[in-house]
Amino acid sequence: MKRHLARLLLPMMLAPVGVLGTAGIANAQFSVTRFDFLGRSAPSVILHGAEFARDDTLSSQLRLTRSGDIIRVAGFGHVLLLPLDRDQQRAASEFNTVQLDAERVNARTATLINGKLYLPLDTLARGLGAQYEPGKFTLPQAELTGVSSHAGRDADRVVLDLNRDVRYDVRVTPSEVRVVLYGARGAERTYTTRGRHLPRVQVARQGGNLVLSAPLGKNDGYRVYRTPKSQQVRLVLDVGPGIVRNLPALAARAHKPLIVLDPVGVDDSGQLGDVALEVAREAGELLSSAGWQVRLTRAGKSLASLAERADLARESDVFLTLDVGRFPGASGSGLTVYEHGGPSGVALLDNVRQAGERDLLSRMAVSDSGANRRLVQLLQGEFKALDVPAKTASVDRLYLLREAPHVALLVQLGWVHSDADSSRLRSEGRRREISVALARGIATYLSARAAGGTP
Amino acid sequence: MRRVLTPFNVICLLLFAASVAAYLLVQEEPELSGVPVYGEAGEVTDVAVTLYFSDADVQAFRTEERRISVQRDTPLNVAQAALAGLVAGPSGDGLAVLPPNSEVPDVWVRGEHFFVNLPGSYTRLNYGTSGENMLVCSITRTLLDVRGARDVSFLVGGRSADTLLGHLDLREPFTREDCN
C-alpha cells in the first residue's frame, strides 16, 4: 500500500520542478524568453532548440496573412510563404520547404502553440535579409552596393542595388526626379551612362539619407519600382519619353506658368495718360514673344470687374498690378514695389503656408513669401541698372495680392504730380526700358523656378 | 317697526361709501412726472484725441494731438468727433486723408467693434493704391486710439463692400496690425 502511494505521489512532487522555466503541453516542450526585435524587447519561445516569435509580436513590422495552412509574410521588400505545420517538433526542424521570394529552401516553418501562430526567427531573417542570432533580430545598415544602367531607345534605366530593402520617396520637380533612400549609406558620386535620356545620375548624402538625382527632360516620363533579388533589393528608375509623362499637373504647370499683368484703370491721370496700360502691354508683348503665357486684366479703357481680376489672380503664377501714385498734395516720387505682408486672409492659402514642413506639391500649389521677396529683388536689380530709384514697401490688405497663391506684387510706376516721374513715364524710350525691366525680372524668376532653383 | 340698522344694512352702507370714495379717487387727475428728454446734450467736455494724417510721400503717418469738444465723453461721441477732425484736415505739415469739406463718415460702436460708413462720394476719389491704403488706415488708427476700440469695419454708402477704390480689401475688420 505504501509503495503504491509513493508511486502515485512522486510524479506529483516532481511536476513543479519540470514546470520551472519549461511548459509542457502534450508533447511540446518550450521555454518562454525574450529577444531584441529591431531594437525593441519582445517575447519569444524556444521550441525544440529554435526560437519562435508570435504573430502579434511580428505584425508591428511585418504584414502577416494566413490563407488556410499557408502563412504569407511580407516586409522589407520580400515576400515569404511558410506552410503551417501543426507538428511542433517537425516545424522546428529544417526539413520543411518554405518559399523565400522566388526561392524554395529547406528551413524551419510556422507552427501553432496553444492555438497561437508562431514563426521561426531564423527563417524570417534569412528571407527578409535581416540578421539573426539567438535573442537578437536586427536589420543590417542599408547600403547602396551598386549602380548600373541600361540605355534604351525610348527610355534609359538606372538600377540601384541595395543590401536590403529601404523606405524610399520620389520627389519630382519639372526638371529633375529625386529618389530619397531613407537611412541608406553609400558613396557620393556622379554616374554617367550611355543613354540619351538619362546621361548622368548623381548620388549624394543628405542628412542620414541617400539621394539619387536624375535629370528629367521636358517630355520625359519616369517610373520608380522595387524588385527583390535574392537577399538583396533592386530599385529601378526608368526615365525617357517612352514612359507616360506622369508628372503631377502642378509640376507640369511650371513649364507653362501664367503671368497676369493688371494695369489699374485711372479716370484722370493728367498728362501721363494710361501709362500703366502701356507698360503692361509692352511688358506683356515682350514676355509673349519669348514664349510665356501672359494675360492682361484689361485691354483698353474698359475695366474688368474686381471679381474677374481676382479670378485671374487666383490662376496666376505671377500677378503684377501696375499703378500710378495719386494723392492730393503728395510730393513723393519714384518707383515703389509693394509686396503683400501678413496673412493672406484666404484660409486655404494661410493654412498651406503655415504648415510646418511642406512637401513639394504643396510648394508648387502655394508659394511662400520668400518667392515674393525673390521677384522684388530681381526687379530692384533691373531698375537699379536703369538708374531708376525703386523703393520697396509692404501693404497688408491689398485685395488682389491676398488672393494670389503665388507671387503677387504691386508696382507703382511713379507719381502723377512728380515732374521727374512724369517726364520718365512720358518718354517712350524710358517707358520701354521699364517694360523690359519688368519682363526680364519676371522671366528670370520663372525660369529659375522651372529649373527648381532660386534665382 | 322694522329695524333699519341691521348688521347687513351697515355693511352694505360701508361698502357703498367705500365704492364712492374709490370712484372719486380714480376720477382725480393723476400726478404727471416730467417728460423725459432723451439725448440730452449734457455737459460739454474737452477730450484729447490723436489724429492720423499722411506724410508727403504717402508712406507714413503724421499724427496730431488735438483737443476736441464732445457732449458726454462716450467712445461713440469721441470717434465721431475724431472723424470730423480728420475731415477738417491737419494743422501741421501732414496731408489730409479725407477730402476737405466732405461729408463726415458716420460711425457706430458695438462694444469694442467700430463701424464706419464711408460716404458713397468717396468711391470717386482719384487716389492710387497707396492713397486708398492711407485713407483707410488713417481712419483705422485714429479710431483704434479711442477708448475700448479693438477693430474697425468699413461700409461704403451704407452697404458692405469688398473694396472702396478697387485696391484695398474691406471684407474683414481692420486692426492695428493691418495698418502699421
Side-chain angles (χ1 to χ4, degrees):
Chain A
M1 182 67 189
K2 277 183 181 177
R3 280 180 64 187
H4 185 70
L5 191 64
R7 202 184 271 176
L8 193 69
L9 288 176
L10 190 63
M12 292 174 69
M13 291 165 69
L14 290 176
V17 177
V19 169
L20 281 175
T22 306
I25 307 286
N27 62 343
Q29 295 293 319
F30 66 90
S31 60
V32 179
T33 179
R34 296 190 76 80
F35 79 118
D36 180 341
F37 182 49
L38 302 176
R40 287 186 179 181
S41 175
S44 66
V45 298
I46 306 292
L47 178 68
H48 297 289
E51 192 167 15
F52 283 69
R54 196 175 147 182
D55 56 348
D56 288 355
T57 305
L58 300 169
S59 60
S60 64
Q61 299 287 337
L62 305 170
R63 203 164 58 252
L64 305 176
T65 47
R66 178 176 170 182
S67 176
D69 279 351
I70 299 294
I71 313 300
R72 184 178 188 275
V73 182
F76 310 122
H78 298 273
V79 176
L80 323 180
L81 297 176
L82 277 66
L84 177 65
D85 194 338
R86 286 177 174 76
D87 184 328
Q88 295 162 355
Q89 191 167 7
R90 200 168 54 204
S93 74
E94 295 192 349
F95 300 108
N96 301 283
T97 304
V98 299
Q99 183 158 332
L100 310 178
D101 291 321
E103 194 181 2
R104 288 189 177 172
V105 297
N106 286 333
R108 298 183 222 280
T109 191
T111 190
L112 296 176
I113 301 176
N114 293 344
K116 307 292 183 192
L117 180 64
Y118 280 78
L119 293 103
L121 292 178
D122 57 349
T123 306
L124 291 180
R126 185 175 169 187
L128 298 171
Q131 291 168 337
Y132 171 71
E133 59 186 75
K136 197 168 188 182
F137 187 102
T138 55
L139 280 175
Q141 168 69 43
E143 201 160 338
L144 179 64
T145 54
V147 177
S148 53
S149 66
H150 173 76
R153 192 163 60 90
D154 296 325
D156 295 337
R157 171 170 294 174
V158 168
V159 179
L160 308 178
D161 286 317
L162 297 151
N163 64 332
R164 70 163 172 88
D165 185 58
V166 294
R167 190 165 65 88
Y168 71 93
D169 201 1
V170 183
R171 296 174 181 176
V172 189
T173 68
S175 58
E176 192 177 54
V177 55
R178 287 182 188 179
V179 182
V180 183
L181 306 171
Y182 292 102
R185 209 164 50 184
E188 277 189 312
R189 59 174 291 193
T190 301
Y191 298 88
T192 53
T193 77
R194 283 182 292 177
R196 284 182 299 137
H197 314 296
L198 201 54
R200 76 188 66 80
V201 294
Q202 190 179 17
V203 175
R205 278 194 289 270
Q206 277 184 10
N209 308 323
L210 215 54
V211 180
L212 174 98
S213 308
L216 198 60
K218 197 170 179 181
N219 299 312
D220 288 348
Y222 77 93
R223 66 179 167 225
V224 181
Y225 58 94
R226 175 168 42 197
T227 172
K229 182 204 166 196
S230 184
Q231 298 303 303
Q232 295 192 327
V233 167
R234 281 184 149 177
L235 206 60
V236 182
L237 167 67
D238 290 339
V239 172
I243 298 166
V244 176
R245 188 169 169 81
N246 49 354
L247 284 184
L250 284 167
R253 188 191 159 98
H255 284 301
K256 199 75 178 165
L258 176 63
I259 301 162
V260 176
L261 301 176
D262 174 45
V264 172
V266 182
D267 292 332
D268 177 21
S269 56
Q271 301 170 332
L272 275 179
D274 204 346
V275 67
L277 179 60
E278 289 172 29
V279 170
R281 269 188 189 146
E282 287 179 352
E285 282 168 12
L286 287 167
L287 287 164
S288 296
S289 61
W292 298 100
Q293 190 183 193
V294 184
R295 294 276 300 273
L296 266 64
T297 54
R298 69 184 175 106
K301 269 281 179 194
S302 61
L303 292 172
S305 71
L306 189 64
E308 288 169 333
R309 291 160 72 203
D311 283 344
L312 280 171
R314 290 183 203 112
E315 291 172 21
S316 69
D317 292 277
V318 170
F319 184 84
L320 214 64
T321 293
L322 302 172
D323 195 12
V324 180
R326 288 155 283 137
F327 196 78
S331 59
S333 66
L335 196 145
T336 311
V337 181
Y338 290 93
E339 62 178 306
H340 176 255
S344 151
V346 180
L348 178 63
L349 299 184
D350 288 335
N351 288 343
V352 173
R353 283 184 179 132
Q354 288 160 11
E357 193 173 324
R358 295 176 57 191
D359 61 19
L360 192 68
L361 273 184
S362 102
R363 288 202 301 275
M364 285 177 185
V366 180
S367 299
D368 55 22
S369 58
N372 267 338
R373 188 104 292 272
R374 285 194 286 279
L375 183 54
V376 168
Q377 287 166 350
L378 283 169
L379 291 177
Q380 271 191 310
E382 296 290 340
F383 292 133
K384 194 176 178 184
L386 295 177
D387 201 21
V388 175
K391 290 175 282 201
T392 58
S394 171
V395 183
D396 281 359
R397 294 288 296 266
L398 290 180
Y399 190 102
L400 296 173
L401 270 52
R402 296 181 97 194
E403 296 287 329
H406 294 290
V407 174
L409 299 176
L410 163 72
V411 179
Q412 190 171 275
L413 298 165
W415 287 89
V416 169
H417 59 260
S418 163
D419 292 338
D421 291 350
S422 293
S423 65
R424 184 177 65 240
L425 293 171
R426 278 207 305 271
S427 157
E428 199 171 318
R430 293 292 279 168
R431 202 171 57 226
R432 178 146 185 95
E433 285 177 348
I434 290 173
S435 306
V436 171
L438 287 173
R440 196 181 288 155
I442 293 169
T444 309
Y445 166 76
L446 287 174
S447 300
R449 193 186 75 156
T454 54
Chain B
M1 185 179 170
R2 284 183 169 180
R3 284 181 60 191
V4 177
L5 289 175
T6 61
F8 179 78
N9 285 352
V10 170
I11 290 170
C12 287
L13 190 64
L14 287 174
L15 283 174
F16 179 71
S19 60
V20 169
Y23 177 75
L24 292 175
L25 190 68
V26 298
Q27 289 299 316
E28 278 183 14
E29 285 284 328
E31 192 177 333
L32 294 175
S33 58
V35 176
V37 181
Y38 294 105
E40 192 175 14
E43 197 175 333
V44 175
T45 54
D46 277 359
V47 178
V49 292
T50 305
L51 302 180
Y52 286 74
F53 298 102
S54 171
D55 71 344
D57 291 335
V58 199
Q59 292 283 335
F61 296 115
R62 284 274 181 276
T63 56
E64 282 188 18
E65 301 291 332
R66 203 176 283 183
R67 292 198 76 78
I68 53 174
S69 298
V70 291
Q71 290 171 335
R72 289 193 296 165
D73 180 9
T74 64
L76 174 63
N77 289 350
V78 174
Q80 193 66 63
L83 290 187
L86 282 181
V87 171
S91 55
D93 59 352
L95 296 180
V97 289
L98 301 184
N101 305 317
S102 65
E103 189 183 340
V104 177
D106 292 322
V107 62
W108 296 273
V109 177
R110 295 289 179 273
E112 55 192 6
H113 309 293
F114 284 48
F115 297 83
V116 175
N117 179 32
L118 300 172
S121 60
Y122 280 18
T123 58
R124 294 187 291 278
L125 292 174
N126 187 24
Y127 284 11
T129 308
S130 47
E132 183 181 346
N133 185 57
M134 184 55 73
L135 184 152
V136 171
C137 282
S138 294
I139 294 175
T140 301
R141 291 297 297 270
T142 299
L143 294 185
L144 288 182
D145 280 358
V146 175
R147 187 180 69 241
R150 182 178 173 189
D151 57 43
V152 182
S153 300
F154 289 91
L155 293 87
V156 179
R159 293 166 182 266
S160 296
D162 290 345
T163 183
L164 174 65
L165 297 170
H167 312 301
L168 239 59
D169 188 351
L170 302 184
R171 291 173 294 182
E172 294 165 22
F174 276 67
T175 61
R176 196 175 299 273
E177 288 72 35
D178 295 321
C179 293
N180 285 318

